[in-house]
Amino acid sequence: DADPTTDSAYDVLSRFRLYTEDFKRELTPDEYPIVRLCRTQKPFSKWKVGILDGNGRHLSFDVSGEGIHDEKTGEFLAGIVVLKDVTEYTDIIKTQTRENDEQFELICDTMPQLLWTTSPTGHHDWFSRRWYEFTGLSVEESSGDGWALAFHPEDVGEAERRFKHSLATGDQYTTEYRCRRHDGEWRWMLGRALPLRDHRTNTIVKWFGTCTDIHDQVQARQEAKTMRQQLLNVIKHAKTTVWAVDHNRNLTFLQGILMWDENDEGIGEESIGKNVYDVFNQHQGKVDLPRWKPPMEEILNGMACEKISEHHVNGNGRWFRTRFIPILGKKANDEPGINENSETSNESRVEGLIG
């Protein structure tokens, strides 16, 4: 009788206790392979089930099923289910997986960064030991959305927005935010994460992320920004023009009102990257180019360490002094020697000039 719902069929099934592959849940009789086969009358393979033996040992089986049909009518007559014991193989895989996990955590614990992982939906499910040591948070406090407890409220919103974008697109996640150390000090961190994809389906199966301490770099960047603004203010109020060019004669810095046109305050941003001679030739300063170009070329060719030019600008009636000095860099080991008439050191090379 192929009917799995008869009393005799359940009497046979009651002798077995089947579980899910991970033994987290016992299967109901309706979920048994033979029952599914008889009801659907469709073959299957590569099912995984767990069975407890008489000693309570966990056994793993690979299950396949095939129906028997009447050759003439095609009527489903019975079903055959084959269980292949793969316990030994499964135990080897579990051992290897456990060892790989232990090695992964050991490597993560030796790194200075704070490491974390999330599910494909962004649920935080693991943090390295360094995370707990740095933040002082517990495993329970950090799980899920608890990670936000360690970061500055002003930075969490932007971090979440960026991570949601990465979850939706699969793009790399990058952000900067302040993380509170266990002693209460806020430290700037660089947060980065990349997705791990299933090589068969290309779907994301996990996100791996890091938090790297960049507090010193951020402070240095902010201090440099402040100093630059102070320098620009000094240049502006001193009625001085400061500019720099690279070895290719392209402007890399230009601040201050040009001496030829005091009303053109936006010339600096527009001129960066352009040839210095082309820029200065667009103004009244083209009259002074024949006087400026020779000393500039001497500096750039390493023939002089300093040049000074004084000239009168028609129109505003003022006299100006321009000082040219080289921007020096270290010469590469394989770089040819400098001209014997050069006034720069044999250990350095001219990378540009400041005027």
Side-chain angles (χ1 to χ4, degrees):
D1 189 352
D3 187 356
T5 62
T6 62
D7 293 340
S8 59
Y10 272 111
D11 181 61
V12 174
L13 296 177
S14 65
R15 302 174 189 176
F16 300 92
R17 297 184 62 184
L18 272 63
Y19 296 82
T20 56
E21 182 182 4
D22 54 10
F23 286 89
K24 290 184 177 180
R25 182 178 65 83
E26 183 176 357
L27 300 181
T28 64
D30 289 341
E31 297 177 297
Y32 281 21
I34 186 61
V35 176
R36 290 277 184 92
L37 176 61
C38 291
R39 284 183 172 171
T40 64
Q41 300 181 10
K42 295 180 180 180
F44 63 85
S45 62
K46 296 183 180 180
W47 280 23
K48 305 292 184 182
V49 298
I51 298 178
L52 293 177
D53 66 8
N55 298 321
R57 182 182 175 219
H58 289 189
L59 304 179
S60 298
F61 287 86
D62 188 31
V63 186
S64 60
E66 188 75 32
I68 300 176
H69 299 79
D70 186 285
E71 293 182 356
K72 295 182 179 180
T73 65
E75 181 184 0
F76 184 86
L77 302 176
I80 298 177
V81 173
V82 178
L83 285 80
K84 181 181 179 181
D85 191 338
V86 293
T87 304
E88 183 177 357
Y89 174 76
T90 302
D91 289 345
I92 293 175
I93 296 298
K94 288 181 179 178
T95 300
Q96 291 178 342
T97 301
R98 182 172 61 252
E99 291 177 350
N100 290 340
D101 289 342
E102 291 175 353
Q103 291 176 3
F104 172 74
E105 292 206 19
L106 180 61
I107 292 174
C108 291
D109 289 341
T110 62
M111 299 177 67
Q113 289 94 343
L114 317 181
L115 282 75
W116 46 271
T117 65
T118 78
S119 66
T121 60
H123 179 84
H124 286 71
D125 52 19
W126 178 86
F127 293 90
S128 65
R129 184 175 63 185
R130 175 69 176 149
W131 164 270
Y132 300 112
E133 293 174 348
F134 185 90
T135 64
L137 297 176
S138 65
V139 175
E140 293 75 17
E141 291 172 326
S142 303
S143 181
D145 295 331
W147 65 271
L149 297 174
F151 292 93
H152 200 288
E154 295 179 359
D155 305 329
V156 170
E158 177 63 13
E160 289 180 332
R161 186 192 68 78
R162 294 191 178 198
F163 196 38
K164 286 180 180 179
H165 171 79
S166 296
L167 293 175
T169 62
D171 294 341
Q172 174 180 300
Y173 167 68
T174 304
T175 192
E176 291 185 7
Y177 40 22
R178 286 162 287 181
C179 184
R180 183 172 55 200
R181 201 165 59 187
H182 58 83
D183 59 2
E185 179 181 352
W186 292 102
R187 304 282 298 181
W188 279 101
M189 293 281 181
L190 172 64
R192 297 182 69 247
L194 289 170
L196 174 66
R197 296 180 180 273
D198 186 312
H199 69 279
R200 296 166 298 181
T201 63
N202 201 39
T203 57
I204 296 175
V205 296
K206 209 169 193 61
W207 283 86
F208 289 81
T210 61
C211 294
T212 304
D213 191 316
I214 57 169
H215 191 76
D216 294 340
Q217 294 94 312
V218 172
Q219 281 195 321
R221 188 171 64 202
Q222 292 174 341
E223 291 174 359
K225 183 178 180 180
T226 300
M227 290 182 63
R228 184 178 188 277
Q229 189 57 50
Q230 292 175 346
L231 173 62
L232 297 182
N233 289 336
V234 170
I235 293 174
K236 181 178 180 180
H237 293 291
K239 294 185 179 298
T240 301
T241 302
V242 179
W243 46 273
V245 300
D246 58 22
H247 195 71
N248 296 319
R249 283 64 174 171
N250 294 325
L251 283 163
T252 59
F253 183 87
L254 176 57
Q255 291 294 335
I257 301 174
L258 289 178
M259 62 186 72
W260 311 289
D261 190 353
E262 297 182 354
N263 296 320
D264 196 350
E265 297 185 5
I267 189 66
E269 297 179 358
E270 299 173 359
S271 303
I272 300 302
K274 296 180 180 179
N275 182 276
V276 62
Y277 300 137
D278 292 341
V279 172
F280 288 171
N281 195 49
Q282 296 173 3
H283 304 76
Q284 297 181 40
K286 61 185 177 182
V287 177
D288 299 307
L289 275 182
R291 183 185 298 109
W292 279 17
K293 192 169 183 178
M296 290 174 62
E297 290 300 319
E298 287 187 45
I299 293 287
L300 291 170
N301 291 320
M303 305 301 295
C305 289
E306 181 180 1
K307 285 289 182 177
I308 295 177
S309 172
E310 294 183 352
H311 57 283
H312 180 268
V313 176
N314 294 327
N316 58 24
R318 295 178 180 175
W319 281 88
F320 290 88
R321 172 180 292 174
T322 302
R323 182 187 180 200
F324 306 95
I325 57 176
I327 301 174
L328 300 177
K330 189 175 182 180
K331 186 175 67 174
N333 294 331
D334 58 348
E335 193 169 341
I338 298 177
N339 188 298
E340 60 180 4
N341 296 322
S342 171
E343 294 188 18
T344 58
S345 168
N346 287 330
E347 299 298 324
S348 61
R349 65 176 179 180
V350 178
E351 296 184 343
L353 69 80
I354 298 176

